[in-house]
Amino acid sequence: MSESNESTDQEKRKPMSAGLYMNYPIDIKAAIQHALDNGYHFLVTQIILPSYARDPLKKGKMEAIGRSDRVLTCNEWGRLIVAEITKTIDVDCDDEQLYLQNKSRLLQELGFAFHLGVPAIQIYLNQANNTNLARIVYNKLLCMYSVSIWLTVPMAYPSRKNELCDPTEKEDTWNWWNDFRSYCKYEKRLGLVLELPDIHNIPSTSEIDRWLGEPVKALIIHSSLFILNIHGKPVLPKAYQEIIKRFMILDVQYILKTNDTEDIAIYNKYLNYLGRKLYISNENENIYKGMEDFLQNPLQPLSEHLDTNIYEVFEKDQIKYTTYQKAIQKALQDVPKNIETPVVMVVGPGRGPLIQAALDVSSALDRPIKLYGIEKNPYAINTLIQRVQNEWDNKVTLIHEDMRVYNPPDKANIIISELLGSFGDNELSPECLDGAQRFLEKDGVSIPASYTSYIAPIQSTKVYNEIISNRLPDKTILSCFETPYVVHLVNFYRIDEPKALFTFNHPNWNPHYSNERFKRLTFSAVQNCLLTGLIGYFDTVLYQDIILSTHPKSHTENMASWFPIVFPLPEPMQIKGGDKIIVAFWRCESNDKVWYEWCIESPRISSIVNPNGRSYFITKIC
Amino acid sequence: MSESNESTDQEKRKPMSAGLYMNYPIDIKAAIQHALDNGYHFLVTQIILPSYARDPLKKGKMEAIGRSDRVLTCNEWGRLIVAEITKTIDVDCDDEQLYLQNKSRLLQELGFAFHLGVPAIQIYLNQANNTNLARIVYNKLLCMYSVSIWLTVPMAYPSRKNELCDPTEKEDTWNWWNDFRSYCKYEKRLGLVLELPDIHNIPSTSEIDRWLGEPVKALIIHSSLFILNIHGKPVLPKAYQEIIKRFMILDVQYILKTNDTEDIAIYNKYLNYLGRKLYISNENENIYKGMEDFLQNPLQPLSEHLDTNIYEVFEKDQIKYTTYQKAIQKALQDVPKNIETPVVMVVGPGRGPLIQAALDVSSALDRPIKLYGIEKNPYAINTLIQRVQNEWDNKVTLIHEDMRVYNPPDKANIIISELLGSFGDNELSPECLDGAQRFLEKDGVSIPASYTSYIAPIQSTKVYNEIISNRLPDKTILSCFETPYVVHLVNFYRIDEPKALFTFNHPNWNPHYSNERFKRLTFSAVQNCLLTGLIGYFDTVLYQDIILSTHPKSHTENMASWFPIVFPLPEPMQIKGGDKIIVAFWRCESNDKVWYEWCIESPRISSIVNPNGRSYFITKIC
């Protein structure tokens, strides 16, 4: 059973991509063949002749710096080789002469790597201060469009402590990386390679969490980290398995480093076995697959008619509708018995799943209801008309109107809607239900009865770079950063737990009631990190104890609907461990639109994002 | 004598612009007339009826909120009235009901002010936390294009200390202002009005320095600050005179507040007297006038021929040329006596001021020289040809060539040049003189012999906003922030003293010598401030002890040439008192160009500005 499960998962998973690290092989063609034969997909190696790298200043004589580019085809250089920059090159030393020398070596090595057309260049960071290195690499990245840089740091600082420097700041290798990429303005083609530490230096969970918010391209695993199991086979201790399991979500690659380059197949086989063993299947995986970190614009259901694709995606989520059905059943049971035929109105029924749910409840309870469906979308109405005739035995009265203006003959005992967006109120559920409650009995109920949004500060340069890359030609960069995005966010670090933001209750009979909101929330950062925006969730009380939630702590099990929403910051903010992050958030309203504004008050002030809803708003006009 | 001086200065100075503060006058027309009759130029007053402002929630009855707009003409509203927002409106209180109430009052008052078309709206800040106020004002500023907001804060926190809050942060009213304008992204139309404190609260010099780096529009002076002199006339104590003197450079206006609105002429007369008394004339004032804070692009003398206007401005600076002449004289005296006719070459003589200086020295010392002028600009050569014939008795050999390629018949004992820009090396003096030294004798001298650039961190939202406003349509905002500007900077605060950056020496016979440079400099901030960029100066040793300098501590007296240069930061950085500011600065070079890159390493990292010289570079190509 467990075996057959594994094999199914295996079929779904592509095999782990693995690279082999090799010190400058004499015959690179043979070395590649050896790696491929043993299940590896690429080679990480130096491109500069070791003798040249040791003594680059031999002048006068014209000398080869590396092997001829003709030993491999362009296709091989471009697919199979990651070029490692000589580790001894230090352009951030204090000696000016050495700096100039190292700079010219670095430029030469980068230039040769570009010439060869390798897909990635690996550069080790060995120390905290890398300003000059960052400048040179940033300069080159901006002119050379096809290559990526893989910055490589130890996942945890090697245990030999340097007594001269501050242990907390300078020994946290995340800071090395963060400083470097900050100099380079979070450049997208700057990837990260993490070297697994020895067993005494395994980082804490929160450190791993933070690394998972970074563009990690590969993990370096040294064969010395393996231990022998009872069969004498090399395996990785549990602590490493835990780390690898967590990084699988990012589809990272593995780079094996070993002194024994002969017997390399065994490690790769083990890693592939591990990939299958650690892989956890998720019911909704197929729905989500390929949507990781993909930015979607939130729906505008009032001004734009939803299309059939969207309805179909909605309806696939059975968990959501069975939960609704439970709520409807409870609510209908609570309608006083003296009301012979309770009036139930589904506002915005779309293609009818909630109508179906209400009919099912009525039939299950054997209690007849008068059922209305009020829908503004003419194409959804078209579907509903046919379902009323063919499936629902003409038991449903259809109204083709906007619920905010419709004038009904009856008042409803129950109004049912599913107008909630990823942030709860962000598809104007409050405004729509405020309009619809005109035709609700004073003691009638709304399903949902309330909903609450939540926000948390996040680090995700992935989102930052996606926003820049996906800019439409008619938008400014600023306007793209002043817009929230719905996203199945994977490559991010949540800096603190989400906190409740705005709550809306229905019905609401207070005549002075406003749907504008303001709230200030305070979060804490446990460690240095980069604040790039806010992530939003919501939960909703459908009826009494029946709730739906996308809040990570209470997420409705197996519910596929609603990815989180992200509110970006135009300028990422460096955060220190221990900092308080204070967020101010507004929901604003004018005659024709609703929008959010947000800003950071602490540890430093950001300017107010999206003033006047200039870049993003939800229109109230149909 | 002193009197006549004063009257000359008075003629040069426009009279101080003064406003009168008045609590809601019954008859605003008469109030204006009264103010104008007594020498004031505008009125600062409320526009909402006091009774309405006290009880704005009287509902039901339609009530006037202020006087009819027809009591004044549009021209009068638009020129003579600054509208004060009711001070009791607090949109940052914790009570939600009160917040909503105050918000609607604020929107009403702002709306009415816009309706009247007043040029400025005065808003008092009474506390440290103003996030909601900032949001509302920022929203309005972005839609209403013609009006300015005058944020008003006490110049120093009133002496009654609030024991509940942190005295250093929350009681520094600069922070109130800085937080507010940071929420509003340093919006240009956000001006500052400072209320002079009572005599026990006069701020320190460094606090005044920092205020001078802000867009101060007016100072509020309460008549109670005046004391009576021996003639029984009201005068301001010395401490206030010192403050007023310092603010005169910003052309601030004055707003008089008094309980006795009858006898107001006397204060205005005194302020005008003070303006004349405190005004210090400067020899170069006429040259500078109107160029305050005006951004100029640095010259590109290699790729573009300088025009006659620029030459004329250069030549106006007698101080510079007499200093050069001293240096030439010393150098010529030091040429060994056995050299019968020393060879002197002026490289880049333009229209000839240094040729004239060399001839004058030769004649004064009665020592004949062989004089060359090597000039690449054909239009300057045209001038020189005529001067050689008409003024210089054919004693000068003209060469129409680029000094970097010219092949001379003689070697020079002295090469004289004036190729220095505002930052010393920024007009490629190093590259030009390296080229020219081919025709310098091994023991020959260059005038200048060396030059050093200096930088200091500054706060100037003036420059920040000028960069945004002056953007050419074919430039991105980023590229405008990655460019240095030459500017007669007035409205700025220098956060720390300048420090030496790069030095170049001439001649330089080291064959491996590079003109690339890198330096890291550490500055300190004594108080909270906003880092918006770096200011650059230079000094140069012309010969031995003869120097020219634009460094503020050693500025060559009365020299008019060379405004400072500013290197902006695309994103201003909030700085705390006590912070170390670490700047990294590079001079970079490729085959065809030279450029600078810069960044901040501490207290937080900025991305590297101008990578690859993508936005700004100095071309080496003629």
Side-chain angles (χ1 to χ4, degrees):
Chain A
M1 175 69 190
S2 106
E3 278 219 313
S4 90
N5 253 355
E6 263 190 45
S7 91
T8 321
D9 287 350
Q10 186 185 0
E11 279 154 31
K12 276 193 227 157
R13 296 286 303 171
K14 59 176 191 221
M16 320 267 270
S17 170
L20 181 67
Y21 180 89
M22 266 188 131
N23 273 314
Y24 199 89
I26 307 295
D27 182 345
I28 195 169
K29 189 100 184 171
I32 287 176
Q33 199 52 54
H34 178 58
L36 294 176
D37 289 346
N38 285 283
Y40 294 86
H41 302 85
F42 60 95
L43 207 63
V44 183
T45 190
Q46 306 86 353
I47 52 171
I48 301 294
L49 269 169
S51 59
Y52 190 92
R54 272 191 302 275
D55 189 8
L57 286 187
K58 271 190 276 179
K59 292 246 170 187
K61 181 160 157 266
M62 191 113 76
E63 202 188 343
I65 55 173
R67 63 188 105 232
S68 159
D69 51 8
R70 298 178 67 217
V71 299
L72 294 182
T73 65
C74 288
N75 189 27
E76 287 167 329
W77 285 118
R79 284 193 314 114
L80 303 175
I81 305 294
V82 171
E84 184 193 64
I85 297 295
T86 303
K87 287 182 187 176
T88 53
I89 295 179
D90 178 7
V91 291
D92 286 281
C93 54
D94 284 332
D95 182 298
E96 193 184 336
Q97 221 32 53
L98 211 57
Y99 155 67
L100 290 172
Q101 218 175 83
N102 280 327
K103 190 174 78 165
S104 92
R105 287 175 65 192
L106 176 60
L107 288 172
Q108 187 183 43
E109 294 206 9
L110 291 172
F112 192 44
F114 295 139
H115 170 79
L116 295 176
V118 296
I121 299 171
Q122 189 167 38
I123 303 179
Y124 275 81
L125 298 187
N126 303 306
Q127 58 193 12
N129 172 25
N130 296 292
T131 317
N132 273 300
L133 181 61
R135 189 191 80 78
I136 293 167
V137 169
Y138 187 36
N139 271 244
K140 285 299 158 199
L141 265 177
L142 293 178
C143 333
M144 307 292 172
Y145 300 109
S146 58
V147 77
S148 294
I149 299 286
W150 286 5
L151 278 187
T152 305
V153 299
M155 188 182 274
Y157 191 76
S159 52
R160 52 167 180 83
K161 304 266 176 198
N162 181 340
E163 289 168 54
L164 284 172
C165 55
D166 176 355
T168 55
E169 284 287 312
K170 296 220 169 153
E171 291 189 1
D172 183 346
T173 57
W174 181 87
N175 290 328
W176 304 2
W177 151 254
N178 183 51
D179 286 0
F180 194 108
R181 59 95 172 267
S182 300
Y183 285 124
C184 301
K185 213 170 185 185
Y186 324 109
E187 168 60 40
K188 193 184 177 178
R189 281 177 299 133
L190 212 51
L192 180 59
V193 173
L194 294 172
E195 197 160 28
L196 287 190
D198 67 58
I199 195 78
H200 310 294
N201 273 312
I202 301 284
S204 68
T205 309
S206 60
E207 283 173 87
I208 300 278
D209 288 344
R210 185 175 56 176
W211 284 126
L212 285 166
E214 300 295 358
V216 180
K217 300 302 173 195
L219 298 180
I220 296 177
I221 306 176
H222 202 280
S223 64
S224 64
L225 304 183
F226 284 77
I227 52 175
L228 296 182
N229 69 4
I230 46 166
H231 308 296
K233 292 265 179 77
V235 296
L236 282 172
K238 265 270 182 269
Y240 294 114
Q241 293 189 26
E242 284 304 313
I243 292 177
I244 287 174
K245 184 173 172 182
R246 298 221 45 209
F247 278 91
M248 284 177 72
I249 199 170
L250 298 186
D251 270 335
V252 297
Q253 309 181 78
Y254 301 90
I255 297 169
L256 185 84
K257 257 190 172 173
T258 178
N259 299 326
D260 170 18
T261 50
E262 286 313 305
D263 195 14
I264 54 174
I266 196 162
Y267 301 110
N268 185 51
K269 276 185 193 147
Y270 174 77
L271 285 170
N272 274 312
Y273 154 77
L274 205 59
R276 293 193 302 274
K277 177 182 148 192
L278 298 177
Y279 177 69
I280 301 160
S281 168
N282 180 303
E283 253 192 43
N284 293 313
E285 161 124 353
N286 284 334
I287 303 179
Y288 293 168
K289 198 67 206 166
M291 302 178 81
E292 296 90 347
D293 300 322
F294 175 77
L295 305 184
Q296 298 171 263
N297 286 107
L299 296 177
Q300 293 263 7
L302 282 190
S303 59
E304 291 160 20
H305 293 312
L306 302 185
D307 64 32
T308 194
N309 266 308
I310 294 172
Y311 286 127
E312 194 169 301
V313 170
F314 283 0
E315 293 164 18
K316 270 190 185 149
D317 189 351
Q318 281 310 308
I319 302 290
K320 184 174 94 175
Y321 290 108
T322 52
T323 312
Y324 258 98
Q325 195 160 331
K326 279 183 211 157
I328 297 167
Q329 180 156 344
K330 268 203 161 180
L332 191 57
Q333 283 169 325
D334 287 349
V335 174
K337 293 284 173 272
N338 61 340
I339 297 173
E340 206 172 310
T341 314
V343 176
V344 176
M345 294 184 178
V346 179
V347 292
R351 308 197 307 183
L354 287 177
I355 290 179
Q356 185 68 60
L359 288 171
D360 290 349
V361 166
S362 164
S363 139
L365 296 180
D366 196 19
R367 182 156 187 196
I369 55 174
K370 187 161 183 194
L371 187 55
Y372 287 85
I374 299 148
E375 173 61 52
K376 70 165 190 62
N377 180 345
Y379 314 112
I381 280 283
N382 179 57
T383 309
L384 291 173
I385 288 170
Q386 312 200 23
R387 292 191 80 179
V388 169
Q389 290 170 0
N390 304 333
E391 298 173 43
W392 296 332
D393 203 13
N394 290 309
K395 281 187 196 150
V396 185
T397 308
L398 293 181
I399 311 290
H400 182 200
E401 279 250 43
D402 186 315
M403 70 184 82
R404 293 169 300 173
V405 299
Y406 170 55
N407 222 338
D410 294 308
K411 288 219 163 183
N413 302 99
I414 303 173
I415 284 181
I416 309 169
S417 65
E418 51 167 334
L419 305 167
L420 301 178
S422 287
F423 203 44
D425 61 88
N426 66 306
E427 292 178 11
L428 301 196
S429 179
E431 286 70 18
C432 291
L433 293 183
D434 284 356
Q437 76 181 23
R438 287 175 298 108
F439 44 85
L440 184 64
E441 292 284 2
K442 283 286 163 191
D443 60 353
V445 302
S446 165
I447 297 174
S450 73
Y451 33 90
T452 300
S453 52
Y454 297 82
I455 53 168
I458 58 163
Q459 162 187 303
S460 176
T461 53
K462 176 78 183 177
V463 170
Y464 177 87
N465 278 312
E466 286 290 307
I467 290 171
I468 291 171
S469 316
N470 294 330
R471 178 165 80 97
L472 293 171
D474 62 338
K475 300 259 185 185
T476 65
I477 284 281
L478 180 62
S479 74
C480 297
F481 275 104
E482 293 195 327
T483 301
Y485 297 93
V486 170
V487 51
H488 174 32
L489 201 54
V490 169
N491 196 184
F492 81 114
Y493 164 52
R494 195 165 48 232
I495 298 166
D496 196 359
E497 293 302 313
K499 296 196 167 173
L501 187 68
F502 304 142
T503 296
F504 296 84
N505 294 291
H506 298 286
N508 186 322
W509 301 113
N510 175 352
H512 297 307
Y513 184 77
S514 158
N515 288 322
E516 294 208 304
R517 293 285 188 282
F518 164 65
K519 194 148 185 179
R520 176 179 283 126
L521 289 172
T522 302
F523 299 93
S524 299
V526 295
Q527 57 191 340
N528 287 7
C529 56
L530 184 73
L531 175 64
T532 66
L534 307 166
I535 191 164
Y537 309 98
F538 80 100
D539 63 19
T540 175
V541 174
L542 293 180
Y543 186 73
Q544 291 176 353
D545 60 339
I546 315 286
I547 69 156
L548 291 173
S549 170
T550 69
H551 186 300
K553 288 255 157 140
S554 60
H555 196 290
T556 305
E557 211 176 330
N558 288 325
M559 181 172 71
S561 300
W562 294 299
F563 291 144
I565 194 166
V566 169
F567 294 86
L569 288 177
E571 288 297 321
M573 190 180 283
Q574 301 288 349
I575 302 291
K576 293 276 178 200
D579 274 352
K580 290 258 164 285
I581 299 173
I582 304 182
V583 176
F585 213 105
W586 293 267
R587 188 184 199 266
C588 312
E589 204 173 352
S590 69
N591 288 338
D592 59 341
K593 61 185 191 177
V594 171
W595 70 96
Y596 304 101
E597 299 183 28
W598 58 98
C599 72
I600 307 300
E601 293 192 345
S602 173
R604 287 176 302 285
I605 283 170
S606 76
S607 58
I608 288 162
V609 184
N610 197 33
N612 291 314
R614 67 178 168 193
S615 301
Y616 168 75
F617 57 85
I618 315 132
T619 178
K620 289 178 174 176
I621 314 294
C622 278
Chain B
M1 176 71 191
S2 106
E3 277 220 314
S4 90
N5 253 355
E6 263 189 43
S7 89
T8 321
D9 287 348
Q10 188 187 358
E11 280 154 30
K12 277 192 226 155
R13 295 286 304 171
K14 59 177 192 224
M16 319 268 268
S17 170
L20 182 67
Y21 181 89
M22 265 190 130
N23 272 315
Y24 199 90
I26 308 295
D27 183 345
I28 195 169
K29 189 100 185 167
I32 288 174
Q33 200 51 56
H34 178 60
L36 295 177
D37 288 347
N38 285 284
Y40 293 86
H41 302 86
F42 61 95
L43 207 63
V44 182
T45 190
Q46 306 86 352
I47 51 172
I48 301 295
L49 270 168
S51 59
Y52 190 93
R54 270 191 303 276
D55 188 10
L57 286 189
K58 272 191 273 179
K59 291 246 170 185
K61 179 156 159 266
M62 190 113 74
E63 200 188 346
I65 55 174
R67 62 188 105 233
S68 159
D69 52 7
R70 298 178 66 217
V71 299
L72 295 182
T73 65
C74 286
N75 190 25
E76 286 168 328
W77 286 117
R79 284 193 315 111
L80 304 175
I81 304 295
V82 170
E84 183 192 64
I85 297 296
T86 302
K87 287 182 188 176
T88 53
I89 294 180
D90 178 6
V91 290
D92 286 283
C93 53
D94 283 332
D95 182 299
E96 193 183 336
Q97 223 30 54
L98 211 58
Y99 155 66
L100 289 171
Q101 217 174 85
N102 280 328
K103 190 175 76 165
S104 92
R105 286 175 66 191
L106 177 60
L107 288 172
Q108 187 182 46
E109 294 205 10
L110 290 172
F112 193 45
F114 294 138
H115 171 80
L116 295 175
V118 296
I121 299 172
Q122 189 167 36
I123 303 179
Y124 275 82
L125 297 187
N126 302 308
Q127 58 194 12
N129 172 25
N130 297 293
T131 317
N132 273 300
L133 181 62
R135 189 192 78 80
I136 293 167
V137 169
Y138 187 36
N139 271 243
K140 286 297 158 204
L141 265 177
L142 293 179
C143 334
M144 308 291 173
Y145 300 109
S146 58
V147 76
S148 294
I149 300 286
W150 285 3
L151 278 188
T152 305
V153 299
M155 187 182 276
Y157 191 76
S159 52
R160 51 168 179 82
K161 303 269 179 195
N162 181 339
E163 288 169 54
L164 286 173
C165 55
D166 175 353
T168 54
E169 283 288 313
K170 295 221 169 151
E171 291 190 3
D172 183 344
T173 57
W174 182 86
N175 290 328
W176 304 3
W177 151 254
N178 183 53
D179 285 359
F180 194 109
R181 58 95 173 265
S182 299
Y183 285 124
C184 302
K185 213 168 182 185
Y186 325 109
E187 168 61 40
K188 192 182 175 178
R189 280 177 297 133
L190 212 52
L192 180 60
V193 174
L194 294 172
E195 196 160 28
L196 287 190
D198 67 57
I199 195 77
H200 309 295
N201 272 313
I202 300 284
S204 68
T205 309
S206 60
E207 283 173 87
I208 300 277
D209 287 345
R210 186 176 55 177
W211 285 127
L212 285 166
E214 301 294 356
V216 181
K217 301 302 173 195
L219 298 180
I220 296 178
I221 306 175
H222 202 280
S223 63
S224 64
L225 304 183
F226 284 76
I227 52 175
L228 296 182
N229 69 3
I230 47 168
H231 308 295
K233 291 267 178 74
V235 296
L236 282 172
K238 265 269 182 267
Y240 294 114
Q241 294 188 27
E242 285 303 314
I243 293 177
I244 287 172
K245 183 172 172 182
R246 300 223 42 210
F247 279 91
M248 285 176 73
I249 198 170
L250 298 186
D251 271 335
V252 297
Q253 308 180 79
Y254 301 90
I255 298 169
L256 186 84
K257 259 190 169 171
T258 179
N259 300 326
D260 170 18
T261 50
E262 286 313 306
D263 195 13
I264 55 174
I266 196 162
Y267 300 110
N268 185 49
K269 276 186 193 145
Y270 174 78
L271 285 171
N272 274 314
Y273 154 77
L274 205 59
R276 294 193 302 275
K277 177 182 148 191
L278 297 177
Y279 176 70
I280 300 160
S281 167
N282 179 305
E283 254 194 40
N284 293 313
E285 160 122 355
N286 283 334
I287 302 179
Y288 293 168
K289 198 69 207 166
M291 302 179 81
E292 295 89 350
D293 300 321
F294 175 77
L295 305 184
Q296 299 171 264
N297 286 108
L299 296 177
Q300 293 265 7
L302 281 190
S303 60
E304 291 159 21
H305 293 312
L306 303 184
D307 65 29
T308 195
N309 266 307
I310 293 172
Y311 286 127
E312 194 169 300
V313 170
F314 283 0
E315 292 164 16
K316 270 190 185 149
D317 188 351
Q318 282 309 309
I319 302 291
K320 183 174 94 174
Y321 291 108
T322 53
T323 312
Y324 258 98
Q325 194 159 331
K326 280 183 210 158
I328 297 166
Q329 180 154 343
K330 268 202 160 182
L332 191 58
Q333 284 171 324
D334 287 349
V335 174
K337 291 287 171 270
N338 62 338
I339 296 172
E340 206 173 309
T341 316
V343 176
V344 176
M345 293 183 178
V346 179
V347 293
R351 309 197 306 183
L354 288 178
I355 291 178
Q356 184 67 60
L359 288 171
D360 290 351
V361 166
S362 165
S363 140
L365 295 180
D366 196 17
R367 184 157 184 195
I369 56 174
K370 185 160 185 193
L371 187 56
Y372 287 85
I374 300 149
E375 173 61 54
K376 71 165 187 63
N377 181 344
Y379 314 113
I381 280 283
N382 179 57
T383 309
L384 291 173
I385 288 170
Q386 312 199 23
R387 292 191 79 180
V388 170
Q389 290 171 0
N390 305 334
E391 299 174 42
W392 295 333
D393 202 13
N394 291 306
K395 279 186 199 154
V396 185
T397 309
L398 293 180
I399 312 290
H400 180 201
E401 281 250 43
D402 185 315
M403 69 183 82
R404 293 171 298 172
V405 299
Y406 170 56
N407 221 338
D410 293 308
K411 289 219 162 183
N413 301 100
I414 302 172
I415 285 181
I416 308 170
S417 65
E418 51 167 334
L419 305 167
L420 300 179
S422 286
F423 202 45
D425 61 88
N426 66 308
E427 292 177 10
L428 302 197
S429 179
E431 285 71 18
C432 292
L433 293 183
D434 283 356
Q437 76 179 26
R438 285 175 300 110
F439 44 86
L440 185 65
E441 293 282 3
K442 283 287 163 189
D443 61 351
V445 302
S446 165
I447 295 174
S450 73
Y451 34 90
T452 299
S453 52
Y454 297 82
I455 53 169
I458 59 163
Q459 162 186 304
S460 175
T461 54
K462 176 79 184 175
V463 171
Y464 177 88
N465 278 312
E466 286 289 307
I467 289 171
I468 292 171
S469 317
N470 294 329
R471 178 165 79 98
L472 292 172
D474 63 340
K475 299 259 187 186
T476 66
I477 285 282
L478 179 62
S479 75
C480 297
F481 275 104
E482 294 194 328
T483 302
Y485 297 93
V486 169
V487 50
H488 175 33
L489 202 54
V490 169
N491 194 184
F492 81 114
Y493 164 53
R494 195 165 49 231
I495 298 166
D496 196 0
E497 292 302 313
K499 297 196 167 175
L501 187 67
F502 303 142
T503 295
F504 296 85
N505 293 289
H506 297 286
N508 184 323
W509 301 111
N510 176 353
H512 298 305
Y513 185 77
S514 158
N515 288 321
E516 296 207 304
R517 292 286 189 281
F518 164 66
K519 196 150 184 180
R520 175 179 284 127
L521 289 172
T522 302
F523 300 92
S524 301
V526 296
Q527 57 192 341
N528 287 8
C529 57
L530 183 73
L531 175 65
T532 66
L534 308 164
I535 191 164
Y537 310 98
F538 79 101
D539 63 19
T540 175
V541 174
L542 292 180
Y543 187 73
Q544 291 176 356
D545 60 338
I546 314 287
I547 70 158
L548 291 173
S549 171
T550 69
H551 185 300
K553 288 256 155 137
S554 59
H555 196 288
T556 305
E557 211 179 332
N558 288 326
M559 180 172 70
S561 300
W562 294 300
F563 291 145
I565 193 165
V566 169
F567 294 86
L569 287 178
E571 288 297 321
M573 191 181 283
Q574 301 289 347
I575 303 290
K576 294 277 177 199
D579 274 352
K580 289 259 162 287
I581 299 173
I582 304 182
V583 177
F585 213 105
W586 292 267
R587 187 183 201 266
C588 311
E589 202 172 352
S590 67
N591 288 337
D592 59 341
K593 63 187 191 176
V594 171
W595 70 95
Y596 304 102
E597 300 183 26
W598 57 98
C599 72
I600 307 299
E601 294 192 344
S602 173
R604 285 177 302 286
I605 283 170
S606 76
S607 57
I608 288 162
V609 185
N610 197 33
N612 290 314
R614 66 177 169 195
S615 301
Y616 168 76
F617 57 86
I618 316 131
T619 179
K620 289 177 173 178
I621 314 292
C622 275

